[in-house]
Amino acid sequence: MTLLEELIDTLKTDERLVSDGQLLKNKIIELGLKLDEKLISLLLENDNLKEHFFKTVNKVIIFDKDKFMKFVDNKEFLPDSYTTFKNKIGLTTQNEYLAKSGEVVLSWPYKDCVLEGGMEDPEEKNRKEVFWNEILAPDEIDRLFDPKVLTGFKRIDAKGEHKVDEIEPTDNLIIKGNNLLVLHSLKKRYAGKVKLIYIDPPYNPDSNANTFNYNNTFNESSWLTFIKNRLDVAKKLLKKDGVLIVAIDENEHFLLGSLLKEMFPDSDVHCITIVHNPRGVQGTNFSYIHEYAIFIIPKGQKSICNREIKPDEIEWSNFRN
């Protein structure tokens, strides 16, 4: 193998220098001029490259930058390129795409806490939510998440309500209560066994609208903590090929999407619109006809079946001004 071939093979192991399988000549020159530590370390790992592009002075190894630049700038090395960037659009930090950087995450106050939240008591409209810090209050959190005794069971079928003597593994359950505590109570029995989870959380609107009896007036950081706590346990319940669906509207759509991408890095995140009011709900500047459903699907998995929408299934309506 020639020195040229060795250099090309070595440089291709640094993903910063490669795009679509081709080395980026100007990027190599840029990093060489900056005496990039990673590039120099890479060259030192190869004995032939070390001998050719370095010299020793008083037992100190010195990078011969001029020699390296002349070699790289030679037409025989690579055709000229006019950009030091990869052939890909995206946000970067320190020459790395944010999507590949584990250091870039969504942060907010109380992210390291547990917020019980839950159903709103009509007599406690201004109830102060309690946060338990995961580091400072592990005992309180353990007690909160300990399995709870479920009571008041009744069986409902086509013939009405019946007394329950025993719960069968195949029974479908509707459980009324704080969903965070219920999810943790189900964790031991159903961890890794659930194929589909659908979550319809409070939408945290700017107005006083309160569709369900949740405390629906969290500030944004509290709301994110509320959601994260429930997603943490939902993730543990899902099968490896399980799918998570989260409903949301325009108020917290973007933050929720960022949180889901952080929490499910090995899954594809898809967002679709759901038309629920064809005439539109009046907003400040726009009338919204839709909400969103965000699907979390294992990467590369075909989970949604193809189905053609028939013309008679489509409803048309005049839009509200």
Side-chain angles (χ1 to χ4, degrees):
M1 182 180 290
T2 66
L3 183 69
L4 174 62
E5 292 170 335
E6 283 193 73
L7 179 59
I8 290 175
D9 287 348
T10 299
L11 293 176
K12 280 188 174 181
T13 63
D14 187 341
E15 62 178 14
R16 300 175 302 167
L17 309 177
V18 182
S19 178
D20 297 331
Q22 299 298 317
L23 284 171
L24 300 171
K25 182 174 181 178
N26 280 14
K27 187 66 175 179
I28 297 169
I29 293 174
E30 175 196 332
L31 295 181
L33 290 171
K34 291 180 178 179
L35 300 178
D36 180 76
E37 183 177 342
K38 185 176 179 180
L39 173 62
I40 292 174
S41 297
L42 198 61
L43 297 173
L44 283 170
E45 291 174 359
N46 183 291
D47 290 338
N48 288 336
L49 299 180
K50 178 180 177 181
E51 181 180 351
H52 193 79
F53 295 118
F54 295 83
K55 53 188 176 182
T56 302
V57 179
N58 292 331
K59 298 182 180 180
V60 176
I61 298 175
I62 299 175
F63 177 48
D64 193 337
K65 182 174 67 175
D66 292 337
K67 190 174 184 179
F68 178 75
M69 290 302 160
K70 288 178 181 178
F71 191 94
V72 171
D73 201 35
N74 191 297
K75 291 284 185 181
E76 293 183 5
F77 174 65
L78 286 174
D80 285 331
S81 60
Y82 297 97
T83 176
T84 62
F85 297 97
K86 298 180 181 180
N87 295 330
K88 180 179 178 181
I89 297 174
L91 299 176
T92 63
T93 176
Q94 301 296 322
N95 294 316
E96 294 291 338
Y97 286 103
L98 297 190
K100 290 187 176 181
S101 174
E103 298 177 359
V104 181
V105 296
L106 182 66
S107 295
W108 67 88
Y110 308 114
K111 183 178 181 179
D112 56 350
C113 295
V114 169
L115 171 64
E116 180 178 347
M119 306 301 284
E120 187 176 78
D121 186 336
E123 297 181 0
E124 297 183 38
K125 287 289 185 182
N126 296 315
R127 179 186 65 205
K128 184 178 180 181
E129 301 291 352
V130 177
F131 291 88
W132 298 109
N133 186 278
E134 294 171 347
I135 303 299
L136 302 179
D139 294 335
E140 289 83 352
I141 292 175
D142 286 344
R143 283 195 293 271
L144 183 67
F145 289 166
D146 278 343
K148 304 299 184 288
V149 176
L150 306 180
T151 62
F153 281 95
K154 55 186 176 182
R155 189 179 303 278
I156 302 176
D157 57 24
K159 297 180 181 180
E161 296 184 4
H162 310 279
K163 181 181 177 181
V164 176
D165 296 319
E166 185 178 358
I167 299 176
E168 301 293 338
T170 56
D171 283 338
N172 296 313
L173 304 178
I174 299 177
I175 303 174
K176 182 179 180 180
N178 182 303
N179 51 24
L180 181 63
L181 307 188
V182 169
L183 287 169
H184 278 280
S185 297
L186 298 175
K187 186 171 58 177
K188 183 176 181 180
R189 184 170 184 174
Y190 294 105
K193 297 180 180 179
V194 181
K195 191 170 184 179
L196 174 67
I197 296 178
Y198 174 82
I199 298 178
D200 189 4
Y203 287 177
N204 203 32
D206 294 330
S207 66
N208 292 323
N210 194 352
T211 308
F212 298 100
N213 290 324
Y214 282 102
N215 177 356
N216 205 20
T217 55
F218 295 134
N219 63 42
E220 209 148 58
S221 59
S222 300
W223 183 86
L224 282 167
T225 301
F226 176 92
I227 296 298
K228 178 181 178 294
N229 295 156
R230 284 147 181 81
L231 291 174
D232 278 333
V233 62
K235 185 176 181 180
K236 295 174 182 176
L237 295 176
L238 277 176
K239 296 177 65 175
K240 288 185 178 180
D241 61 347
V243 175
L244 171 70
I245 307 172
V246 186
I248 199 66
D249 69 3
E250 71 281 356
N251 289 288
E252 300 291 2
H253 167 240
F254 294 108
L255 285 178
L256 176 61
S258 297
L259 177 61
L260 288 168
K261 287 181 179 180
E262 176 187 329
M263 296 185 67
F264 295 86
D266 298 324
S267 298
D268 292 322
V269 180
H270 301 279
C271 182
I272 65 170
T273 56
I274 307 293
V275 176
H276 68 97
N277 188 337
R279 293 198 62 205
V281 177
Q282 185 63 54
T284 304
N285 293 301
F286 298 95
S287 295
Y288 291 94
I289 67 171
H290 65 279
E291 294 177 355
Y292 300 98
I294 303 179
F295 286 72
I296 309 299
I297 301 172
K299 282 189 182 295
Q301 177 175 303
K302 177 65 176 175
S303 298
I304 309 300
C305 297
N306 295 323
R307 187 176 77 86
E308 182 180 352
I309 299 177
K310 299 177 181 179
D312 58 2
E313 293 182 297
I314 302 175
E315 295 183 6
W316 299 94
S317 175
N318 292 329
F319 193 64
R320 178 181 295 166
N321 292 327

